[in-house]
Amino acid sequence: MQASLSRPAAATVLVVALAAVGLGPAASPAAAATIPAGSGSYTDSRPAGTSGPTTNTGAPVTPKLTAAAKDKPVPTNDWWSSLAYQRYGDNPYSTPMYGHPLTYQATSGGLEVGYPTTPAIVGGGRQYEYAHKADLTVGLSGLNSPDTKADDWSDWTVTPYWADGTRTLRTTIGHGMPFVYAKGSGGDARITTAGTPTVFADNGNVLGITVAGHHYALFAPTGSDWNVSGTAITAGLGGKDYFSLAVLPSTDALATYRKYAFSFVTGSKVAWESTGGTVRATYSLTTEAKEGTERGTLQALYRHQWLHTSDALTPYTYVSPRGTMKVRESASFTTSQKNQGVLPALPASGGVDKARLTGYLNEVANDSDPFSGAADTYWTGKALGRLAQLVPVADQIGQTGIRDKLLGLMKGRLQEWFTAGGASEFSYDKSWKTLTGYPASYGSDTELNDHHFHYSYYVYAAAVIAQYDQAWAADSAWGTMVKTLVRDTANPSRTDSAYPFLRGFDVYAGHSWASGHQGFAAGNNQESSSESINLSAGLVLWGAATGDTGLRDLGSYLLTTESEAITQYWFDAGQQVFPGTFGHDTVGMVWGSGGAYSTWWTANPEEIHGINVLPVTGGSLHLAREKAAIKRNIAEMERENGGPAVEWRDLLWEFESLADPAAAKAKWDAGNGGYSPEQGESKAHTYHWITTLDSLGAPDLTVSGNIPTSAVFARNGVRTYAAHNYDSTARTVTFSDGKTLSVPARSTATGTGAGGGDPDPDPEEPGPSTGNTFRLKSGGTLTTATDGAAGADTLASADGVNRDGTPYRPTVYEVKKVDGTLAAGASTAFRLRVDAGTKVGLAPQVRVSYDLTGDGTFDRTETYRYFATDPVTGWEEYTQAVGTAAVTGSLGNLKAGTVRLEIWNALGNGTSQVQTGTDAAVVKIPFV
């Protein structure tokens, strides 16, 4: 959360209708106690005159849980938190919850279920949303519950509970789950549809229906029979207590989904590891067989997941606000990504004028009020972050006096907050099992908002101190208080009785949520994804500095995962997520239902674009992976702004330098004389950042080191390798291109690297071994390998709109790091097999694009005429012989370039398929 000091806490420029939720009983006051934590302490009672969690009218509220769950730490700040946090008094059920592909809302009669597939553009064009709209309600005949409570939960699933004295209902729902699993007593299973359903399959206990254009399958116990009467569908349970339903990607998927109808999901869990420069995560569901022995299931992967898995996927897909979701037929899948490195600071370079930098450093160190009057958790954190960035910079140029003065300021302010009884302190709430700093701000107390934003600065500052003073960071000193903040915001333990597992981070969605109560019609939201990254980067540095490899690797997992989510869902780097009718290249906020070109406090384009950049630190390097997206982002900001940035120019210069250091340096040179730094920035840091990148080049994310505190920069084809070694002995860091770097103990080193080769090629960025013919491979890659498995990918529907010439939800295949000499007289050729089944009027279309230098900008695009399929099941051949519809740009030689093939349905209202992994699924490029 970022704002001016005078920002009204309730201000919003979003057009988001608030749905009402409710309140629980108020907590009884208890005698205050001070809890020691090493040299620090916190209290278990709020300071006089302050508030904890409340309803929207200010009434105290406690968690809305069943007896079975009442002692478990509640994961606030989740996609479903309104089940447990009743924010509004007239709704004791929930607000809309966005699981994807399904949406949900609890009501007195059960669980509303929807599958929104058509986006709306609202808020004057500033917001896109796939808003919840019930297709049907899952319940029991006669159910009329006075409330809905959270009964159980796991990493990305939750079980709401209803009871009305006669009937009880539990449903298990989750991210990526096409099924709703229900257990009930006291009444027949009842499905109430929003309109009269069309029955497309009736097999007694299995019923296929279409409602509002969406296909559902209903499953009752064997021996039961579904009865349809208008909009009411009921089935006796025959002495059993279970039934389920699933949203189907198509009616012909019924047989596949029926196989797993009684394999009920009972839990979800992610396990991660960070080794050798790679972060791997496995997402697993536990299941229980209600009938038979089947224990498998189906789950839909988000774009940020399926881009990074080599696990087999089915042809089935779903629509979501995060782009296409792809279905896996298994209870688990694994993702693998390069570790996104973090440095304590950018390394030394010849481009920095030490005397000039020293002058800038002294301006901060000698400021009469280096904390700028900050009193609450957020603005104190911002001030700590500002100082923390300058400590290693001062050390780097030999200004140890300035370094130590800054460290002293940071220690003093942190110790004030880390000691109970003063004007600023932390307080533990036993009901909500959370730690809140007072003075609080922006609802961190009354709504449990933004803890991960606020505390990220404290953890990061503590990590910088630990780099220079390990005794200060010891558990017996101030380290226990730092770890307590971590337990509140990013607890890696599922068995900690005092704090929930990863409070704000949604492991399946791939990013954090900011609202504690989730009490909005649009679901939960997160604005400043970069402040969430700040916490992850702080964990990497704190863990490395203190020898806590568990926290270090947790930070790597969180940062690497959220980095991809930001790339896809905030910046739409691949231009595959935002609806074509949404006229923006970035969003300031992601909501459960979509995204908004907005912030909570202003419509100023500079802040909309900058809020997902700040704070700029050694943890921001991950943003440089998609340089073309950065350039589009800056260009849009300047269009919307009517010119270059003014208020937040320093942040946006630093952002631009990650893609185009020379352009950013030119802007700094022209405009550094007459501006006021953003409140978490300083001229010292901005000058050091921009001049260093201008000298070393932008970060090169195609190469990674085998420790998380390493990075690579590239300028004019020359790479500079950098790493910080927190160990007490020297070590050699190995990079994925085969280069090595020797790093002394407790030091940062840079160099052009020794050795070479490529001992660890990236499986997600396959380069051609030989030849210029590439096969389409399921999972989105082009490969020269000919030994892969044959398969097929589903092409999304054109939704009845003419998409000729403009990719619409395309299926994308890509290969990077391609070298080749343009062959005289040659041209692109492709041979593809497509099939629309029996659907009428479909027309797949292909576009082939060439990024000649791999800089993220496509120099040549070739759009081919669409191919009209016939309504007869069977493969048809589509080739370049149809001719081009449009060509832009020119071809030249490929040097570490990128080749991309996109295929989409240009016409029609149904899905089709394209073959993969065969010699009839190839593109031949005009290079040798």
Side-chain angles (χ1 to χ4, degrees):
M1 183 77 69
Q2 169 71 23
S4 65
L5 283 170
S6 60
R7 171 190 158 208
T12 175
V13 296
L14 293 174
V15 182
V16 179
L18 302 185
V21 258
L23 64 155
S28 300
T34 297
I35 295 92
S39 297
S41 58
Y42 58 94
T43 70
D44 67 355
S45 183
R46 292 186 295 274
T50 64
S51 296
T54 68
T55 68
N56 66 314
T57 60
V61 64
T62 55
K64 185 161 60 80
L65 309 175
T66 64
K70 67 180 179 64
D71 294 325
K72 294 176 63 176
V74 181
T76 58
N77 308 78
D78 216 331
W79 67 272
W80 57 266
S81 294
S82 62
L83 282 169
Y85 190 138
Q86 191 176 339
R87 176 67 174 164
Y88 299 89
D90 60 353
N91 181 350
Y93 304 102
S94 82
T95 49
M97 300 172 288
Y98 292 81
H100 306 145
L102 292 173
T103 61
Y104 317 96
Q105 184 166 10
T107 68
S108 61
L111 183 71
E112 289 183 357
V113 178
Y115 174 41
T117 54
T118 302
I121 308 301
V122 298
R126 287 177 167 265
Q127 185 169 350
Y128 78 88
E129 60 178 15
Y130 293 78
H132 168 70
K133 182 179 181 182
D135 289 338
L136 49 83
T137 300
V138 181
L140 301 173
S141 294
L143 179 65
N144 186 21
S145 179
D147 59 23
T148 309
K149 297 184 173 77
D151 184 58
D152 195 13
W153 52 83
S154 60
D155 287 8
W156 62 89
T157 67
V158 64
T159 300
Y161 173 83
W162 295 257
D164 64 5
T166 302
R167 290 155 288 266
T168 65
L169 175 68
R170 291 175 174 84
T171 62
T172 296
I173 56 179
H175 277 315
M177 286 169 50
F179 285 92
V180 175
Y181 306 97
K183 295 180 67 175
S185 65
D188 292 343
R190 179 184 176 97
I191 307 297
T192 305
T193 58
T196 302
T198 300
V199 176
F200 65 83
D202 188 350
N203 300 300
N205 70 315
V206 178
L207 187 71
I209 61 171
T210 301
V211 183
H214 304 137
H215 310 301
Y216 291 89
L218 314 181
F219 305 99
T222 299
S224 298
D225 188 20
W226 289 102
N227 297 299
V228 181
S229 177
T231 60
I233 306 174
T234 57
L237 297 178
K240 306 297 172 86
D241 66 351
Y242 57 85
F243 62 102
S244 67
L245 68 81
V247 62
L248 303 179
S250 59
T251 56
D252 57 10
L254 177 58
T256 300
Y257 280 65
R258 181 175 185 172
K259 179 180 177 181
Y260 302 107
F262 301 113
S263 178
F264 274 40
V265 169
T266 57
S268 57
K269 185 176 182 179
V270 64
W272 61 84
E273 63 174 2
S274 176
T275 56
T278 299
V279 175
R280 291 182 176 86
T282 298
Y283 300 82
S284 302
L285 296 172
T286 55
T287 61
E288 171 189 12
K290 291 295 187 181
E291 293 185 7
T293 60
E294 181 59 63
R295 295 287 301 275
T297 192
L298 295 156
Q299 50 188 326
L301 279 63
Y302 283 114
R303 178 176 175 83
H304 77 274
Q305 296 169 324
W306 57 255
L307 281 171
H308 296 286
T309 188
S310 58
D311 292 337
L313 303 175
T314 72
Y316 300 128
T317 62
Y318 290 105
V319 175
S320 87
R322 310 293 180 254
T324 300
M325 299 183 80
K326 298 188 177 184
V327 177
R328 174 159 166 78
E329 191 172 3
S330 174
S332 69
F333 63 91
T334 298
T335 61
S336 178
Q337 295 175 255
K338 286 180 179 176
N339 197 337
Q340 305 296 299
V342 177
L343 294 175
L346 293 184
S349 76
V352 173
D353 182 326
K354 293 182 180 180
R356 185 177 183 181
L357 179 56
T358 299
Y360 287 143
L361 288 166
N362 276 318
E363 288 179 7
V364 177
N366 298 327
D367 192 327
S368 60
D369 182 9
F371 289 91
S372 304
D376 62 53
T377 48
Y378 182 72
W379 290 101
T380 297
K382 290 273 291 184
L384 286 166
R386 177 171 175 258
L387 300 180
Q389 297 313 309
L390 300 183
V391 170
V393 170
D395 186 58
Q396 191 178 98
I397 63 171
Q399 291 292 342
T400 56
I402 297 176
R403 176 200 69 190
D404 292 343
K405 184 173 184 178
L406 296 172
L407 284 169
L409 290 168
M410 292 160 59
K411 289 178 184 179
R413 187 55 60 98
L414 282 172
Q415 288 166 202
E416 289 177 16
W417 277 91
F418 288 172
T419 304
S424 51
E425 65 177 12
F426 285 94
S427 171
Y428 180 72
D429 187 312
K430 294 184 289 291
S431 295
W432 286 98
K433 299 186 187 303
T434 187
L435 191 75
T436 302
Y438 293 91
S441 52
Y442 307 120
S444 61
D445 50 354
T446 56
E447 301 179 59
L448 299 184
N449 294 341
D450 299 354
H451 284 202
H452 63 309
F453 293 164
H454 295 208
Y455 303 170
S456 73
Y457 293 101
Y458 294 71
V459 174
Y460 202 114
V464 171
I465 294 171
Q467 181 179 337
Y468 297 93
D469 188 348
Q470 292 188 308
W472 185 93
D475 288 350
S476 58
W478 301 98
T480 297
M481 276 302 298
V482 178
K483 290 180 179 179
T484 303
L485 266 64
V486 172
R487 286 171 70 196
D488 181 68
T489 54
N491 189 6
S493 172
R494 297 179 181 84
T495 59
D496 189 336
S497 62
Y499 297 95
F501 172 69
L502 296 181
R503 179 185 304 279
F505 191 82
D506 186 328
V507 296
Y508 205 89
H511 59 82
S512 296
W513 295 111
S515 169
H517 51 73
Q518 186 258 310
F520 303 95
N524 214 323
N525 72 89
Q526 178 165 261
E527 184 180 57
S528 183
S529 60
S530 46
E531 287 179 306
S532 181
I533 288 286
N534 195 46
L535 176 60
S536 304
L539 291 173
V540 171
L541 298 181
W542 172 263
T546 61
D548 190 332
T549 57
L551 284 183
R552 180 201 66 190
D553 292 349
L554 168 64
S556 291
Y557 163 67
L558 297 177
L559 192 155
T560 300
T561 304
E562 190 154 23
S563 172
E564 186 62 54
I566 293 166
T567 295
Q568 300 300 331
Y569 311 140
W570 274 260
F571 297 156
D572 194 17
Q575 297 178 289
Q576 306 295 313
V577 174
F578 297 169
T581 50
F582 182 61
H584 296 282
D585 292 321
T586 189
V587 294
M589 305 176 72
V590 161
W591 287 86
S593 65
Y597 186 78
S598 185
T599 73
W600 277 109
W601 80 99
T602 181
N604 182 352
E606 295 183 35
E607 283 132 313
I608 293 171
H609 288 257
I611 192 60
N612 287 290
V613 176
L614 63 82
V616 175
T617 75
S620 304
L621 304 179
H622 73 100
L623 293 169
R625 188 172 67 254
E626 297 288 348
K627 294 177 174 58
I630 294 176
K631 293 174 182 178
R632 288 198 306 270
N633 194 307
I634 294 294
E636 179 182 20
M637 183 279 296
E638 293 184 347
R639 288 196 308 271
E640 295 284 332
N641 203 46
V646 177
E647 293 180 28
W648 280 10
R649 67 182 76 180
D650 44 2
L651 287 171
L652 293 162
W653 290 338
E654 291 170 305
F655 184 38
E656 186 170 13
S657 70
L658 294 169
D660 191 342
K665 176 66 160 48
K667 290 178 179 178
W668 160 267
D669 288 341
N672 70 77
Y675 81 97
S676 297
E678 186 272 333
Q679 287 170 290
E681 263 298 338
S682 64
K683 285 192 175 181
H685 180 254
T686 303
Y687 170 70
H688 179 266
W689 182 274
I690 290 174
T691 54
T692 298
L693 290 182
D694 184 56
S695 179
L696 300 181
D700 181 354
L701 277 299
T702 66
V703 181
S704 60
N706 68 345
I707 65 171
T709 50
S710 60
V712 181
F713 306 86
R715 186 173 190 269
N716 296 330
V718 177
R719 285 175 175 156
T720 298
Y721 301 81
H724 187 86
N725 176 17
Y726 285 91
D727 295 345
S728 57
T729 57
R731 69 174 300 166
T732 298
V733 177
T734 302
F735 292 84
S736 59
D737 63 354
K739 294 284 189 175
T740 60
L741 182 69
S742 297
V743 190
R746 305 196 187 287
S747 301
T748 295
T750 60
T752 55
D758 193 358
D760 182 26
D762 184 352
E764 297 173 26
E765 295 182 355
S769 50
T770 58
N772 58 0
T773 301
F774 299 86
R775 288 191 178 189
L776 279 62
K777 180 181 177 181
S778 291
T781 60
L782 295 171
T783 177
T784 56
T786 59
D787 56 355
D793 286 342
T794 298
L795 307 183
S797 171
D799 294 333
V801 176
N802 187 329
R803 313 288 183 180
D804 183 14
T806 304
Y808 177 71
R809 293 158 57 196
T811 300
V812 181
Y813 304 90
E814 191 172 84
V815 58
K816 295 184 177 181
K817 297 186 289 190
V818 182
D819 294 329
T821 301
L822 182 63
S827 59
T828 305
F830 61 85
R831 179 188 180 201
L832 304 176
R833 285 181 177 166
V834 294
D835 180 27
T838 59
K839 304 179 186 75
V840 177
L842 272 57
Q845 188 167 24
V846 160
R847 183 168 75 180
V848 180
S849 304
Y850 298 92
D851 171 2
L852 299 177
T853 59
D855 66 355
T857 300
F858 284 96
D859 304 282
R860 166 87 165 189
T861 63
E862 301 170 359
T863 304
Y864 290 82
R865 294 187 176 96
Y866 60 70
F867 177 79
T869 54
D870 62 33
V872 179
T873 300
W875 295 111
E876 299 177 79
E877 194 158 281
Y878 175 24
T879 75
Q880 80 286 347
V882 297
T884 55
V887 176
T888 62
S890 301
L891 287 171
N893 294 336
L894 281 165
K895 183 174 177 57
T898 299
V899 180
R900 174 185 291 178
L901 184 146
E902 301 165 273
I903 181 169
W904 69 98
N905 277 313
L907 302 174
N909 200 6
T911 60
S912 60
Q913 289 189 310
V914 61
Q915 197 172 100
T916 60
T918 73
D919 59 4
V922 297
V923 58
K924 183 176 181 180
I925 63 176
F927 296 88
V928 293

